[in-house]
Amino acid sequence: MLDYNEEAKVYDATRGGLPRAEAAATAVLGLVPDTARTLLDIGCGTGLVTGRIAAGRPGLRVTGSDAAHGMAVVARQRVGAVVLADARRLPLPDAAVDAVSAVWLLHLLREPGTVPAVVAEAARVLRPGGVFVTTVDKDAAHDVGSDIDEAFAPYLAPTPADGTDLVVAHAAAGGLEVVGDAFFTGHGQGRSPVSAARAVRRGYYASRLVLPGDAAEQLVRVLAALPDQERGRADPEYRLLAFRRG
């Protein structure tokens, strides 16, 4: 599992940088009503997407939150208002904001009960009529039918934490109904065999792959045998779902 305090130092450079963040922010804002005046971005990481959300709609007061101190420190350089907080226990009263976003967060929350707790907390802090916008099926989006995906297939986790059906069910339990969706390109996320092997060794795929014992090294050897070692495969297309609090 990655240490996100350390990961903050290289996160933007290894995750598609500004083009990916711009695509994500534009898609999020397309699902947030024009009448919204406040938005909380949970799991904001380095604040790259959060900052682009704020820049994309000047009349929207945007706050970021993250559980990793290293991430929050970087995010504060981009977004003035950033709180250090566990997304299951946000330091906000009930019905405090018009919108909550969670981009590339839920798939990481593999501990049982964590995703429903985060979704319930997002619902709690939303005002009636407010929207919760989140990525779903994040890891599945990286399956672009490439030879790398074939190498990964035997090791895929059986139940992703952010599967659409699961997230919709958790949202319904919190009084949230689906009101829309959007797709955006994960610029710079098309992986090469070399970058995929490096990520396997670093534990980057902990949310997607089950690699007991020496399975990680076995997978690395398979990746090393693929052709075009430096060529990136296709970029993924991520999906956002929007939920409204009744």
Side-chain angles (χ1 to χ4, degrees):
M1 184 65 70
L2 294 179
D3 180 342
Y4 281 93
N5 288 303
E6 287 298 314
E7 196 69 11
K9 301 172 185 176
V10 298
Y11 188 88
D12 295 340
T14 58
R15 304 301 199 285
L18 192 56
R20 188 180 77 143
E22 287 276 13
T26 299
V28 169
L29 287 173
L31 295 170
V32 173
D34 292 339
T35 54
R37 292 293 173 264
T38 52
L39 179 144
L40 174 68
D41 187 31
I42 58 176
C44 71
T46 63
L48 195 60
V49 175
T50 322
R52 301 321 299 164
I53 291 173
R57 192 176 297 179
L60 186 66
R61 189 167 76 251
V62 177
T63 301
S65 79
D66 203 275
H69 180 265
M71 290 288 193
V73 168
V74 178
R76 286 191 184 112
Q77 299 171 22
R78 295 184 168 121
V79 186
V82 176
V83 296
L84 187 65
D86 186 321
R88 296 169 295 182
R89 294 180 292 277
L90 296 169
L92 292 175
D94 295 352
V97 295
D98 298 315
V100 175
S101 56
V103 180
W104 306 307
L105 172 65
L106 299 185
H107 71 288
L108 298 171
L109 309 180
R110 299 294 301 177
E111 184 179 346
T114 303
V115 171
V118 169
V119 174
E121 187 69 346
R124 181 187 69 78
V125 301
L126 277 176
R127 296 187 178 114
V131 295
F132 173 47
V133 179
T134 182
T135 43
V136 293
D137 300 314
K138 192 270 185 185
D139 287 331
H142 286 270
D143 188 343
V144 295
S146 72
D147 50 356
I148 295 174
D149 298 313
E150 291 180 11
F152 280 4
Y155 305 100
L156 292 177
T159 307
D162 68 338
T164 292
D165 291 345
L166 285 175
V167 176
V168 169
H170 298 326
L176 302 174
E177 62 174 348
V178 178
V179 291
D181 71 344
F183 293 84
F184 65 96
T185 300
H187 296 289
Q189 293 297 284
R191 300 189 178 105
S192 68
V194 166
S195 67
R198 186 182 307 121
V200 167
R201 287 195 174 103
R202 293 179 59 236
Y204 174 75
Y205 297 120
S207 67
R208 187 181 188 197
L209 304 179
V210 179
L211 298 169
D214 65 350
E217 285 306 315
Q218 291 178 21
L219 177 54
V220 166
R221 287 194 290 272
V222 172
L223 293 168
L226 296 179
D228 302 318
Q229 283 285 299
E230 300 285 349
R231 178 177 61 83
R233 278 43 171 179
D235 285 335
E237 289 287 318
Y238 297 121
R239 187 186 188 196
L240 289 167
L241 279 184
F243 302 87
R244 182 171 57 217
R245 181 181 174 190

mmCIF file of all heavy atoms in Angstrom, residues 33 97-100 126-132 176 243-246:
data_model
loop_
_atom_site.group_PDB
_atom_site.id
_atom_site.type_symbol
_atom_site.label_atom_id
_atom_site.label_comp_id
_atom_site.label_asym_id
_atom_site.label_seq_id
_atom_site.Cartn_x
_atom_site.Cartn_y
_atom_site.Cartn_z
ATOM 1 N N PRO A 33 -24.854 21.690 -10.093
ATOM 2 C CA PRO A 33 -25.782 22.737 -10.541
ATOM 3 C C PRO A 33 -25.164 24.134 -10.456
ATOM 4 O O PRO A 33 -24.349 24.421 -9.582
ATOM 5 C CB PRO A 33 -26.953 22.606 -9.560
ATOM 6 C CG PRO A 33 -26.870 21.210 -9.043
ATOM 7 C CD PRO A 33 -25.412 20.868 -8.999
ATOM 8 N N VAL A 97 -23.050 22.003 2.980
ATOM 9 C CA VAL A 97 -22.553 22.395 1.654
ATOM 10 C C VAL A 97 -23.549 22.002 0.562
ATOM 11 O O VAL A 97 -24.415 21.142 0.750
ATOM 12 C CB VAL A 97 -21.186 21.747 1.347
ATOM 13 C CG1 VAL A 97 -20.118 22.268 2.300
ATOM 14 C CG2 VAL A 97 -21.266 20.226 1.402
ATOM 15 N N ASP A 98 -23.378 22.628 -0.596
ATOM 16 C CA ASP A 98 -24.261 22.364 -1.740
ATOM 17 C C ASP A 98 -23.783 21.192 -2.591
ATOM 18 O O ASP A 98 -24.571 20.617 -3.341
ATOM 19 C CB ASP A 98 -24.345 23.604 -2.636
ATOM 20 C CG ASP A 98 -24.941 24.797 -1.914
ATOM 21 O OD1 ASP A 98 -25.957 24.617 -1.216
ATOM 22 O OD2 ASP A 98 -24.384 25.906 -2.040
ATOM 23 N N ALA A 99 -22.497 20.879 -2.522
ATOM 24 C CA ALA A 99 -21.958 19.798 -3.352
ATOM 25 C C ALA A 99 -20.763 19.158 -2.653
ATOM 26 O O ALA A 99 -20.016 19.826 -1.935
ATOM 27 C CB ALA A 99 -21.548 20.328 -4.727
ATOM 28 N N VAL A 100 -20.603 17.863 -2.897
ATOM 29 C CA VAL A 100 -19.433 17.110 -2.431
ATOM 30 C C VAL A 100 -18.899 16.338 -3.628
ATOM 31 O O VAL A 100 -19.662 15.735 -4.380
ATOM 32 C CB VAL A 100 -19.802 16.124 -1.304
ATOM 33 C CG1 VAL A 100 -18.592 15.272 -0.932
ATOM 34 C CG2 VAL A 100 -20.328 16.859 -0.082
ATOM 35 N N LEU A 126 -24.468 17.260 2.989
ATOM 36 C CA LEU A 126 -25.149 17.920 1.881
ATOM 37 C C LEU A 126 -26.450 18.567 2.320
ATOM 38 O O LEU A 126 -27.221 17.993 3.091
ATOM 39 C CB LEU A 126 -25.476 16.913 0.775
ATOM 40 C CG LEU A 126 -24.389 16.572 -0.235
ATOM 41 C CD1 LEU A 126 -24.893 15.478 -1.177
ATOM 42 C CD2 LEU A 126 -23.955 17.794 -1.022
ATOM 43 N N ARG A 127 -26.709 19.736 1.776
ATOM 44 C CA ARG A 127 -28.010 20.358 1.965
ATOM 45 C C ARG A 127 -29.050 19.637 1.109
ATOM 46 O O ARG A 127 -28.708 19.033 0.097
ATOM 47 C CB ARG A 127 -27.948 21.836 1.565
ATOM 48 C CG ARG A 127 -27.024 22.647 2.450
ATOM 49 C CD ARG A 127 -27.118 24.136 2.139
ATOM 50 N NE ARG A 127 -26.243 24.882 3.053
ATOM 51 C CZ ARG A 127 -25.164 25.557 2.687
ATOM 52 N NH1 ARG A 127 -24.818 25.609 1.403
ATOM 53 N NH2 ARG A 127 -24.440 26.196 3.581
ATOM 54 N N PRO A 128 -30.326 19.708 1.478
ATOM 55 C CA PRO A 128 -31.356 19.123 0.607
ATOM 56 C C PRO A 128 -31.252 19.690 -0.806
ATOM 57 O O PRO A 128 -31.115 20.902 -0.992
ATOM 58 C CB PRO A 128 -32.661 19.550 1.289
ATOM 59 C CG PRO A 128 -32.287 19.687 2.743
ATOM 60 C CD PRO A 128 -30.891 20.240 2.728
ATOM 61 N N GLY A 129 -31.274 18.793 -1.786
ATOM 62 C CA GLY A 129 -31.099 19.221 -3.163
ATOM 63 C C GLY A 129 -29.652 19.277 -3.599
ATOM 64 O O GLY A 129 -29.353 19.476 -4.778
ATOM 65 N N GLY A 130 -28.718 19.078 -2.657
ATOM 66 C CA GLY A 130 -27.297 19.099 -2.979
ATOM 67 C C GLY A 130 -26.877 17.844 -3.722
ATOM 68 O O GLY A 130 -27.596 16.838 -3.744
ATOM 69 N N VAL A 131 -25.694 17.889 -4.343
ATOM 70 C CA VAL A 131 -25.244 16.762 -5.154
ATOM 71 C C VAL A 131 -23.910 16.204 -4.660
ATOM 72 O O VAL A 131 -23.041 16.954 -4.196
ATOM 73 C CB VAL A 131 -25.111 17.135 -6.647
ATOM 74 C CG1 VAL A 131 -26.459 17.484 -7.241
ATOM 75 C CG2 VAL A 131 -24.122 18.269 -6.852
ATOM 76 N N PHE A 132 -23.788 14.900 -4.769
ATOM 77 C CA PHE A 132 -22.546 14.187 -4.499
ATOM 78 C C PHE A 132 -22.060 13.616 -5.821
ATOM 79 O O PHE A 132 -22.781 12.873 -6.493
ATOM 80 C CB PHE A 132 -22.802 13.060 -3.494
ATOM 81 C CG PHE A 132 -21.640 12.134 -3.260
ATOM 82 C CD1 PHE A 132 -20.359 12.616 -3.040
ATOM 83 C CD2 PHE A 132 -21.832 10.750 -3.257
ATOM 84 C CE1 PHE A 132 -19.288 11.748 -2.826
ATOM 85 C CE2 PHE A 132 -20.781 9.874 -3.031
ATOM 86 C CZ PHE A 132 -19.504 10.386 -2.824
ATOM 87 N N LEU A 176 -29.725 9.321 -1.213
ATOM 88 C CA LEU A 176 -29.231 9.950 -2.438
ATOM 89 C C LEU A 176 -29.726 9.178 -3.656
ATOM 90 O O LEU A 176 -29.661 7.948 -3.679
ATOM 91 C CB LEU A 176 -27.704 9.974 -2.454
ATOM 92 C CG LEU A 176 -26.993 10.683 -1.297
ATOM 93 C CD1 LEU A 176 -25.480 10.477 -1.406
ATOM 94 C CD2 LEU A 176 -27.324 12.167 -1.278
ATOM 95 N N PHE A 243 -25.252 12.157 -7.617
ATOM 96 C CA PHE A 243 -26.390 11.804 -6.771
ATOM 97 C C PHE A 243 -26.950 13.080 -6.135
ATOM 98 O O PHE A 243 -26.186 13.970 -5.752
ATOM 99 C CB PHE A 243 -25.969 10.859 -5.647
ATOM 100 C CG PHE A 243 -25.335 9.581 -6.115
ATOM 101 C CD1 PHE A 243 -23.972 9.497 -6.359
ATOM 102 C CD2 PHE A 243 -26.098 8.443 -6.303
ATOM 103 C CE1 PHE A 243 -23.376 8.310 -6.781
ATOM 104 C CE2 PHE A 243 -25.516 7.241 -6.718
ATOM 105 C CZ PHE A 243 -24.159 7.187 -6.962
ATOM 106 N N ARG A 244 -28.253 13.136 -6.004
ATOM 107 C CA ARG A 244 -28.891 14.290 -5.361
ATOM 108 C C ARG A 244 -29.529 13.866 -4.059
ATOM 109 O O ARG A 244 -30.159 12.813 -3.975
ATOM 110 C CB ARG A 244 -29.941 14.927 -6.267
ATOM 111 C CG ARG A 244 -30.600 16.178 -5.661
ATOM 112 C CD ARG A 244 -31.460 16.884 -6.689
ATOM 113 N NE ARG A 244 -32.464 15.976 -7.224
ATOM 114 C CZ ARG A 244 -32.872 15.968 -8.495
ATOM 115 N NH1 ARG A 244 -32.317 16.784 -9.370
ATOM 116 N NH2 ARG A 244 -33.808 15.119 -8.893
ATOM 117 N N ARG A 245 -29.335 14.717 -3.042
ATOM 118 C CA ARG A 245 -29.998 14.455 -1.759
ATOM 119 C C ARG A 245 -31.439 14.949 -1.822
ATOM 120 O O ARG A 245 -31.693 16.100 -2.147
ATOM 121 C CB ARG A 245 -29.255 15.157 -0.627
ATOM 122 C CG ARG A 245 -29.876 14.899 0.734
ATOM 123 C CD ARG A 245 -29.166 15.610 1.851
ATOM 124 N NE ARG A 245 -29.883 15.427 3.100
ATOM 125 C CZ ARG A 245 -29.641 16.061 4.221
ATOM 126 N NH1 ARG A 245 -28.670 16.954 4.269
ATOM 127 N NH2 ARG A 245 -30.344 15.834 5.303
ATOM 128 N N GLY A 246 -32.373 14.048 -1.497
ATOM 129 C CA GLY A 246 -33.777 14.396 -1.553
ATOM 130 C C GLY A 246 -34.196 15.284 -0.400
ATOM 131 O O GLY A 246 -33.445 15.513 0.533
#
